[in-house]
Amino acid sequence: MLQAEDWVAVAFLILMGVFAYFGVHRTLLKALDHRRDRIKAELDDARRLKEEAAKLVAEYRARRASAEREAEEIVANARADAERIAAEARTKMEDFVTRRTKSAESKIAMAEAQALADVRAAAAEAAASAAGAILSQSVKGKINEDLVGNSIQDLRQKLN
């Protein structure tokens, strides 16, 4: 008589025979092949995505390096422009101060000349008046008037 284990073995062999008769093994193999192809496609996609990501990372790193270089150039240009503007402002300020100093010096010189001319004119006027007074007291008549007039004219011309 057959034992329980023997019946299990017989049932297993019958089951395998039925599977072989209906082609279940082909269906299983197709399913496994299909799964293998799908996994392979997913791995290929993953590999392609990884390569694209690596390219993007390299591209972004290059862009960042370019942006950093550009920023450094902008900062350097801004510094150079600031230094140039400061130098121009310094030069303009020095020119302005020089012009103002020359203008002030010329105004002072003109004021001195005017003051000297005013003093000379006042002195000439005072001298002419004094000479006229002295001559009018010492000489009388028509000679006096001609002499005083001529003397005053001469004195004015010489002092001015």
Side-chain angles (χ1 to χ4, degrees):
M1 206 79 335
L2 291 176
Q3 297 281 332
E5 290 91 16
D6 294 334
W7 284 109
V8 169
V10 169
F12 180 75
L13 288 175
I14 292 173
L15 181 65
M16 287 296 134
V18 170
F19 283 167
Y21 178 75
F22 288 111
V24 173
H25 66 284
R26 278 185 242 121
T27 307
L28 284 176
L29 289 176
K30 283 182 186 177
L32 290 174
D33 287 343
H34 177 67
R35 183 175 171 139
R36 180 200 59 202
D37 293 341
R38 191 182 49 172
I39 290 172
K40 183 180 180 204
E42 287 177 1
L43 286 175
D44 290 342
D45 285 344
R47 191 174 300 114
R48 183 183 50 79
L49 290 173
K50 181 181 175 186
E51 290 171 359
E52 288 178 9
K55 286 179 185 177
L56 285 175
V57 166
E59 182 180 329
Y60 284 123
R61 285 183 180 159
R63 283 185 186 175
R64 187 185 80 204
S66 174
E68 287 175 355
R69 280 191 305 274
E70 188 175 325
E72 289 172 0
E73 289 175 8
I74 289 170
V75 169
N77 289 339
R79 282 187 182 140
D81 287 346
E83 289 173 3
R84 181 184 48 78
I85 290 170
E88 288 176 3
R90 194 176 312 113
T91 303
K92 286 180 182 179
M93 183 58 75
E94 289 172 357
D95 290 344
F96 176 76
V97 169
T98 302
R99 281 193 314 252
R100 290 298 250 177
T101 302
K102 286 181 182 178
S103 174
E105 288 173 352
S106 67
K107 285 181 181 180
I108 291 170
M110 286 175 28
E112 286 177 351
Q114 184 63 41
L116 185 58
D118 290 346
V119 168
R120 282 186 180 169
E125 195 63 39
S129 296
I134 292 172
L135 287 175
S136 66
Q137 288 176 0
S138 40
V139 179
K140 304 273 185 201
K142 173 111 172 91
I143 297 171
N144 176 27
E145 289 176 12
D146 290 338
L147 187 60
V148 169
N150 289 338
S151 297
I152 290 172
Q153 284 295 339
D154 288 342
L155 184 61
R156 281 188 179 142
Q157 288 176 357
K158 287 180 183 177
L159 291 176
N160 285 331

